[in-house]
Amino acid sequence: MTVIAFSETRRRVSAPLGACLLSFTVFWLAQRAAHVSMIDLMVYRAEGATVRAGGDLYALRVTAAHLPSTYPPFAALLFTPLTLLDVPSMRTLATAGNLALLLAFVGLSLRLVGHVRVGCVLWVTAVAVWCEPVWTTVRYGQVNLLLAVLVLWDLSRRPAERPDRWAGVGVGLAAAVKLTPALFAVFLLVTGLVARVGGRDGGPWLRHARGAAGAFAGATLLAAAVLPYDSWRFWTAMVFRTGRVGQAEETANQALRGVLARLLHTAEPGALWTAAAALTAVLGLAVAVVVELRGGRAWAVAVCAVTALLISPVSWSHHWVWCVPVVLLLWSRGHRAVAAGTLLVFCSYALWWVPHGHGRPELHQNTLDLALSALYPVTGALFLALARTSLPRPGPGQAVTNE
């Protein structure tokens, strides 16, 4: 019987495995045919070289685009091993690593929504590799998939009520590399406080939040010990200079700030964006906390991710790799048409159909251009609205359990 079961399992996995390998192979060849620059990976390598040479990390300007270093100093410490590789080897390993991380990300996303099967992971990965955020992540050699895997590993391992000593480590380390994931720690903290106010035991969420804060603080202090000057400069000055990351109106900026900059035809939407981001943060966190306390961990995580992407000063299109768990969540909860529409948005590459590039044409977009270049934020906002109405309100005496 064991041999028969093994044979049946192998038969069920062989088709999706072949499809995934074929998809990866075609993807790899397409990336090479497109002569991808992996420009961000080159910045990471330069950051690592600057750390090793004892240079000024935030005076760095590399590549033909003169890109600066924008991440916290801890990230630069992690990038130092890249200097041990020649550029072709580094690019090959980065591509292979991102594809492996995509497999892990899909697996964790399916675990989050409660549908983990090896065959399903392979089928989904074969498709997900072609969505625009994933394509662009690999094209630039970005770290988005690594950070998303850290966060999902942290938040999908155990039920909310039973965190262990590793709870928060993934979120904290991700936030130490790039600040946006810090919103997950805020979500855990607020959930714990709201639970206590409501007469429930908020301890598990508060312990999880403390773990994230501890991991973040430990990584940041390590960077400060190794790179005191760079750490001082980043946390007292560079962290507030959002203009260093890029121009707000760029088509690739799929955050609320980018939408408003293009809509108002201005390089800086100012107070209007601040108010819109603050309101979105409050509403998004409120939805995440409500569905979390009703047992909807999958909804809460997806809502928190989308909220972070919307309120960040700059959310490049490749940051939206979180579309993968969003689509899987919608599909698994019966919103099949919405899931298909969301998948279409992120596989359409429509934001690149509008004029972009030199001369800042995004400041002069027409109505159609504005609509196409706002697809990700609009889809994200609609998802938040749907999430608010997707879980029934517990009745009197009804137990609240995890999905």
Side-chain angles (χ1 to χ4, degrees):
M1 292 296 293
T2 302
V3 173
I4 295 174
F6 176 76
S7 178
E8 179 66 18
T9 301
R10 185 173 62 178
R11 186 186 64 79
R12 289 198 303 266
V13 171
S14 59
L17 177 60
C20 188
L21 291 175
L22 177 61
S23 184
F24 277 10
T25 300
V26 176
F27 177 89
W28 194 301
L29 294 174
Q31 289 257 322
R32 293 299 169 267
H35 302 291
V36 295
S37 63
M38 291 200 167
I39 191 170
D40 289 339
L41 184 63
M42 300 305 296
V43 175
Y44 300 160
R45 190 174 193 268
E47 290 180 14
T50 301
V51 169
R52 293 187 64 185
D56 187 341
L57 188 60
Y58 296 103
L60 185 68
R61 292 293 186 277
V62 292
T63 75
H66 302 288
L67 296 178
S69 174
T70 59
Y71 293 177
F74 179 68
L77 291 181
L78 298 182
F79 296 148
T80 53
L82 296 176
T83 62
L84 304 177
L85 302 169
D86 58 80
V87 172
S89 298
M90 179 184 66
R91 289 180 172 179
T92 299
L93 287 174
T95 301
N98 265 323
L99 293 178
L101 285 167
L102 178 61
L103 268 169
F105 185 47
V106 170
L108 290 169
S109 299
L110 286 168
R111 182 168 76 178
L112 184 71
V113 303
H115 291 275
V116 182
R117 293 184 182 86
V118 174
C120 188
V121 171
L122 293 169
W123 281 121
V124 172
T125 304
V127 175
V129 73
W130 294 100
C131 71
E132 189 275 338
V134 174
W135 168 277
T136 311
T137 287
V138 182
R139 171 190 175 188
Y140 292 150
Q142 261 283 342
V143 295
N144 305 303
L145 289 168
L146 173 61
L147 302 184
V149 164
L150 282 172
V151 171
L152 273 192
W153 169 81
D154 195 344
L155 294 174
S156 67
R157 289 185 310 118
R158 298 169 65 86
E161 292 81 1
R162 294 192 287 111
D164 59 18
R165 63 178 180 175
W166 295 103
V169 171
V171 169
L173 289 178
V177 174
K178 205 170 190 176
L179 295 178
T180 309
L183 190 67
F184 288 98
V186 176
F187 150 71
L188 291 167
L189 173 63
V190 174
T191 302
L193 294 175
V194 170
R196 281 194 172 177
V197 170
R200 292 180 56 182
D201 178 16
W205 289 283
L206 294 176
R207 286 195 295 274
H208 205 149
R210 284 197 298 270
F216 173 81
T220 302
L221 290 173
L222 172 63
V226 179
L227 303 168
Y229 174 72
D230 291 321
S231 294
W232 174 259
R233 284 196 70 197
F234 180 83
W235 294 109
T236 60
M238 298 303 167
V239 69
F240 304 109
R241 298 181 185 176
T242 56
R244 297 179 74 250
V245 180
Q247 295 164 340
E249 78 278 1
E250 289 186 44
T251 297
N253 185 10
Q254 293 293 295
L256 287 175
R257 181 166 171 257
V259 173
L260 289 173
R262 293 187 290 272
L263 181 64
L264 300 175
H265 307 295
T266 177
E268 183 48 67
L272 182 59
W273 166 70
T274 303
L279 179 61
T280 302
V282 171
L283 294 178
L285 278 175
V287 172
V289 170
V290 167
V291 296
E292 171 75 2
L293 291 175
R294 293 181 188 176
R297 168 55 63 91
W299 283 104
V301 171
V303 165
C304 193
V306 170
T307 301
L309 290 166
L310 289 173
I311 68 175
S312 175
V314 174
S315 290
W316 301 127
S317 68
H318 51 78
H319 294 169
W320 284 82
V321 293
W322 285 95
C323 67
V324 174
V326 166
V327 170
L328 291 173
L329 175 63
L330 290 170
W331 185 271
S332 68
R333 298 304 186 264
H335 302 285
R336 300 292 174 87
V338 179
T342 303
L343 179 63
L344 179 62
V345 165
F346 287 100
C347 288
S348 68
Y349 295 70
L351 73 161
W352 299 114
W353 300 354
V354 306
H356 60 277
H358 299 296
R360 305 179 77 172
E362 292 95 336
L363 291 175
H364 310 284
Q365 289 185 344
N366 59 35
T367 302
L368 178 59
D369 293 338
L370 289 170
L372 290 176
S373 62
L375 277 176
Y376 291 7
V378 169
T379 301
L382 292 174
F383 171 74
L384 296 186
L386 177 64
R388 179 64 183 87
T389 61
S390 290
L391 288 177
R393 185 178 300 277
Q398 179 181 341
V400 179
T401 58
N402 284 333
E403 289 178 315

